[in-house]
Amino acid sequence: PLGLFLQARCYEKGLVYSKDHLMAFQLYQKAAQMQFPYAQAAVAVCLHFATGTRQSPQMSMEWANRALK
């Protein structure tokens, strides 16, 4: 999951790849589903600010709570 998280961060920031918020969200989501807390927090932030996905405050809170466990 760490590799997916780091790759997502590169897509989000445009470091190695061209900026692609959709790809970043998808990679964060894959890592989050593997119970990686940093990715779970990143998914929460993406959902809160509608970065690469539709805005969903409720889902954002759910993912934030998962990251805190």
Side-chain angles (χ1 to χ4, degrees):
L2 177 60
L4 288 171
F5 174 80
L6 294 174
Q7 188 177 13
R9 182 68 83 193
C10 289
Y11 274 109
E12 180 184 12
K13 303 295 181 187
L15 297 176
V16 177
Y17 312 102
S18 297
K19 269 190 185 183
D20 187 339
H21 290 207
L22 176 61
M23 179 62 80
F25 177 73
Q26 291 171 345
L27 292 169
Y28 282 141
Q29 203 168 32
K30 283 183 185 179
Q33 291 168 346
M34 295 175 172
Q35 309 306 316
F36 192 64
Y38 292 108
Q40 291 171 333
V43 168
V45 171
C46 288
L47 288 164
H48 181 78
F49 291 106
T51 305
T53 187
R54 294 172 68 181
Q55 189 171 31
S56 176
Q58 181 181 351
M59 288 300 295
S60 175
M61 287 302 295
E62 288 179 24
W63 278 105
N65 286 332
R66 289 181 195 182
L68 293 173
K69 291 182 180 178

